[in-house]
Amino acid sequence: MDLYCVATADTPEIVFKFSTNTFIVSGEAYPEDADKFFRPFISQLQKHLDAGNGQLMVFNFRLAYFNSVTAKILYDLFGRLADYAKAYPGAVVLNWHYDVEDDMMSDFGLEIKEDYPELTFNAVTSDGR
Amino acid sequence: MLCHLFTAFFDVEAVERLDFYYSGEVSQPVIVSMGQALKRQLAIGDGQGTKTRKVFSAYVEMLQNVVRYAEGREGAVIVCQVAGEHLVACANRVAKRDADALKAKLETVLAASQEDVREAYRAQLRQAQIGADGGAGLGLLTLARESSKPMEYRFVDQVVDQDAAADGFCYFLLKATL
């Protein structure tokens, strides 16, 4: 079953296509209770990872803004992906899209790359328009 | 109204541009809808780039802290420019018994170098558990990380209005320069 969630002002669009192993998180993320918002997506994803046997999974993150609690949840998610990529080297591609002017998003991407070397990390810039 | 508390940080006359001001009940829907107005005011996405995003980030972190911790979920926030710098400041009521713990947290963050702040931020992100405090430490580290100068804070005892005159409370003020 695929998961889809439409964006709101404070929550991102989420498209988890388990059928094709493609995943998108896009928009802004600063809900009041980020843990509660993301939990169903992460728990479904974890089941999918547990059942995976090395298929390539491609994640596209295109976040304009997220708050501190969401940052922590993203790190938890990347940790899960890194565990899968430890078992199956090269099996997770993480495309981190950000506005070229946004040095905070750029820095965060670099930190992901350093903290989770198991992930195939690509920084993708746009001009923000 | 809590607005006059901000004079602890700067004179009203010194404000060159007032982008946004609010005093009252704070909830997530209020943060979101005012946030849309603030963004328009700051013209995010109109070539202003990182600075306005940092201002918006400071606004969200401060007001979400008010929702989590402030007595009565009431607070005030100001976004303005003083001496060419973008300032975001908030004020809210806290119990005096909580002030020391909050002060200790702030002093730790303020004493840290920018590099130490970055390291502490990453260390908190890597910790598996979401803190029982809902991540307030991480919120302060995020503010410190994005600030161009050390943050300033005050605890103010003065009675602001009759409702707030109850014993055992004080006002907490925090200012970030972006």
Side-chain angles (χ1 to χ4, degrees), chain B residues 1-8 21 23-24 74-76 91-94 155-167 169-173:
Chain B
M1 293 291 280
L2 300 174
C3 61
H4 74 276
L5 287 175
F6 292 125
T7 56
Y21 173 73
S23 176
E74 281 192 40
N92 59 265
R93 207 154 65 113
V94 296
F155 288 94
V156 179
D157 251 336
Q158 76 190 94
V159 173
V160 176
D161 53 50
Q162 285 172 340
D163 290 343
D167 282 341
F169 293 100
C170 58
Y171 285 88
F172 168 62
L173 284 77

Side-chain angles (χ1 to χ4, degrees), chain B residues 83-115:
Chain B
E85 293 177 319
H86 290 266
L87 305 182
V88 181
C90 75
N92 59 265
R93 207 154 65 113
V94 296
K96 276 184 184 167
R97 64 172 183 279
D98 297 333
D100 283 345
L102 181 54
K103 196 173 172 179
K105 247 184 198 177
L106 282 156
E107 285 298 332
T108 308
V109 172
L110 293 179
S113 67
Q114 201 61 23
E115 202 172 314

Side-chain angles (χ1 to χ4, degrees), chain A residues 9-10 28 30-32 65 67-69 71-72 75 99 101-104 107-108 111 114-115, chain B residues 28 32 36 39 49-50 53-54 60-61 64 67-68 118 122 124 126-127 129 138 142 145-146:
Chain A
D10 63 351
E28 305 211 358
Y30 59 105
E32 183 167 13
Y65 168 67
N67 68 352
S68 58
V69 185
K72 197 162 171 62
Y75 253 59
D99 181 346
E101 287 181 359
D102 194 341
D103 60 357
M104 298 311 295
D107 286 355
F108 198 85
E111 285 164 9
E114 278 181 30
D115 286 335
Chain B
Q28 179 68 11
V32 171
Q36 304 301 315
K39 272 192 202 168
T50 298
R53 266 170 267 235
K54 285 180 180 171
V60 171
E61 293 299 335
Q64 289 191 330
V67 172
R68 283 190 204 108
R118 290 176 76 93
R122 285 173 77 172
Q124 282 240 7
R126 285 193 296 260
Q127 273 176 16
Q129 284 299 311
L138 193 60
T142 301
R145 190 173 179 255
E146 300 185 2

